[in-house]
Amino acid sequence: MFDLSAVQAAVREAGFDGWLLYDFRGQNVLALRVVGINEKKLLSRRWFYFVPASGEPKKLVHAIEPAALDHLPGGKKTVYRRWQELEAGVGALVSGAKRVAMEYSPRNANPYIGRVDAGTVELVKSFGCEVVASGDLIQLFEATWDADQEKSHFEAAKLCRDAYDVAFAFIADQIKRAGKVTETAVQARIMKHFADCGMTTYSPPIVGVGPHSGDPHFDTSPATDKPIERGSFVLIDLWAKMDRPRSVYADYTRVAFVGASVPEQYAKVFNVVAAARDAGVKKVKDAFAAKTPLRGWEVDAATRDVIEKAGYGDEFTHRTGHNIGQEVHGNGAHIDGLETRDDRHIIRRTCFSIEPGIYLPEFGVRSEVDVYIDAAGTVHVTGGDPQTEVHKISV
């Protein structure tokens, strides 16, 4: 349910005069979730809901859908038909406000938050308002987990960790039987594990052998299938959640070598990646232990610094991590100072990945863990113990 007092307290703490929530046909899924409109039953006309820092919220809805926001607290409701009435209505909503938060990102620096079109931002600005980013507000009211979601993550985390045992055992068994196994066969075995455990995922896992592991977003498919056999280096990146409403994802990456002894080239790169991962985790734990503010880009910097100092900076081609929620790439703060400079704070009851990688032509290493900060500020690294060495698949 929409908690008006909590929203207004957050608006005041941010120093804003109000928060203008707006959507047209599902373009702003963040606003839909904040106000509690079912995403599967999209409204066909534009609506606006203005929450001032104090006082009663105001609503602007179309005559075809006059009850669209009736479930929300608020006094005055304006119903428009003509476009002129819509524009005048928006002006009335923000009258007297100077700093108005919207799902807007200056220069589109953070497209996860930039959900309001440029024309609507121009309209609001025309009434003398400064439009500011609502990124930290969105985190509080869309990216944080409740108790049921927290429980679903830890449940999914265990089953995702189990998926590696299933996958590695399957690889060993198939190689013993037939001398090799394809990437897609391993992928299918993981998907069966998910189905057997009551899980769902928006996309099958990545299973990449040799050079395929050096492609950060390799698409495992029959068109590119390669065999995994003795002496192969394998990367598996998998993600899934419990198959029930509002569940949240778990997302991990591990690497393995088929053989009794891991060659030095793989171990060397893995050790750098693991050290970078651990530096990122330490940055988070230290900040929350000291109760000091922490932003997404700062965790990225702590992680990336290890890889750059080892001489592999150019081979770490993506951000360090992403928020995790009902989508595997969620809408809270990302661990990013590369693709964007994510200035949003890392806050309690949110989860994110830390997944540095080094990608070479012959092979690539990524080590991914999930980090969840609970309501008390305790930092959890989920999915079992982080990988400390390249896993050996004995055959």
Side-chain angles (χ1 to χ4, degrees):
M1 293 182 61
F2 186 86
D3 187 338
L4 177 59
S5 61
V7 172
Q8 290 186 314
V11 170
R12 289 193 296 270
E13 185 175 352
F16 303 151
D17 295 315
W19 187 2
L20 182 59
L21 292 150
Y22 155 78
D23 181 55
F24 175 60
R25 301 187 67 156
Q27 293 177 357
N28 188 357
V29 66
L30 306 180
L32 292 175
R33 290 182 180 174
V34 170
V35 303
I37 292 177
N38 190 329
E39 299 164 40
K40 295 181 180 179
K41 296 181 179 179
L42 294 179
L43 300 167
S44 64
R45 299 299 192 271
R46 289 174 282 183
W47 58 262
F48 293 80
Y49 184 58
F50 182 67
V51 183
S54 58
E56 284 194 317
K58 293 178 281 187
K59 306 168 184 178
L60 180 63
V61 293
H62 193 274
I64 288 178
E65 297 161 337
L69 304 180
D70 282 0
H71 65 288
L72 294 167
K76 184 177 180 181
K77 177 173 72 172
T78 300
V79 178
Y80 73 92
R81 293 175 298 166
R82 298 178 175 86
W83 65 264
Q84 295 95 333
E85 294 170 335
L86 180 142
E87 292 194 356
V90 172
L93 290 180
V94 300
S95 177
K98 295 300 181 183
R99 302 187 75 216
V100 175
M102 297 188 77
E103 285 65 70
Y104 156 77
S105 176
R107 300 169 64 92
N108 199 29
N110 188 340
Y112 289 88
I113 294 301
R115 304 299 182 102
V116 177
D117 63 277
T120 300
V121 171
E122 289 173 357
L123 175 62
V124 175
K125 285 183 175 180
S126 75
F127 298 109
C129 297
E130 175 191 2
V131 176
V132 293
S134 64
D136 277 330
L137 295 176
I138 285 294
Q139 282 210 97
L140 283 170
F141 301 105
E142 201 283 318
T144 55
W145 294 353
D146 60 27
D148 287 341
Q149 290 176 309
E150 177 182 307
K151 179 181 177 182
S152 81
H153 173 76
F154 281 98
E155 188 177 351
K158 180 184 183 304
L159 294 170
C160 282
R161 176 63 187 87
D162 291 345
Y164 284 100
D165 294 335
V166 170
F168 294 152
F170 178 73
I171 291 171
D173 180 68
Q174 293 299 302
I175 292 176
K176 289 174 183 176
R177 290 172 181 268
K180 61 184 179 181
V181 61
T182 62
E183 294 165 327
T184 55
V186 178
Q187 181 188 67
R189 182 63 187 90
I190 295 170
M191 290 296 288
K192 182 180 184 302
H193 169 76
F194 289 160
D196 291 345
C197 294
M199 306 181 79
T200 186
T201 180
Y202 82 99
S203 177
I206 295 171
V207 180
V209 61
H212 287 173
S213 66
D215 179 351
H217 273 185
F218 174 66
D219 181 15
T220 305
S221 73
T224 57
D225 229 355
K226 285 189 176 297
I228 301 168
E229 50 200 356
R230 288 176 176 84
S232 290
F233 180 86
V234 186
L235 178 149
I236 299 178
D237 184 355
L238 55 83
W239 49 88
K241 62 180 180 177
M242 305 314 300
D243 191 7
R244 55 179 183 259
R246 300 187 68 256
S247 290
V248 293
Y249 271 89
D251 182 12
Y252 308 104
T253 306
R254 289 181 174 247
V255 292
F257 176 76
V258 183
S261 179
V262 178
E264 182 182 356
Q265 59 180 338
Y266 302 136
K268 176 184 176 182
V269 174
F270 174 84
N271 288 338
V272 174
V273 171
R277 176 202 67 204
D278 293 346
V281 172
K282 183 177 185 299
K283 181 73 173 180
V284 178
K285 288 184 173 181
D286 288 351
F288 277 86
K291 295 182 171 57
T292 58
L294 181 66
R295 299 177 187 268
W297 71 265
E298 295 177 293
V299 184
D300 179 273
T303 307
R304 193 170 303 279
D305 183 62
V306 174
I307 291 178
E308 289 180 344
K309 286 181 177 177
Y312 293 103
D314 289 344
E315 285 71 45
F316 183 13
T317 54
H318 56 73
R319 64 189 177 189
T320 289
H322 56 83
N323 178 257
I324 295 172
Q326 295 181 61
E327 295 85 21
V328 71
H329 290 185
N331 298 310
H334 300 307
I335 310 306
D336 190 6
L338 178 73
E339 300 173 43
T340 69
R341 181 183 170 93
D342 202 320
D343 285 321
R344 289 176 292 175
H345 289 93
I346 303 295
I347 63 174
R348 298 182 184 194
R349 296 190 293 122
T350 62
C351 182
F352 51 88
S353 68
I354 291 182
E355 50 180 303
I358 294 173
Y359 307 98
L360 305 173
E362 302 81 14
F363 71 97
V365 174
R366 181 164 63 252
S367 183
E368 179 179 13
V369 297
D370 293 349
V371 177
Y372 173 65
I373 298 113
D374 67 21
T378 303
V379 178
H380 302 264
V381 180
T382 73
D385 293 335
Q387 189 171 7
T388 57
E389 61 182 6
V390 177
H391 180 79
K392 295 184 286 291
I393 300 175
S394 300
V395 292

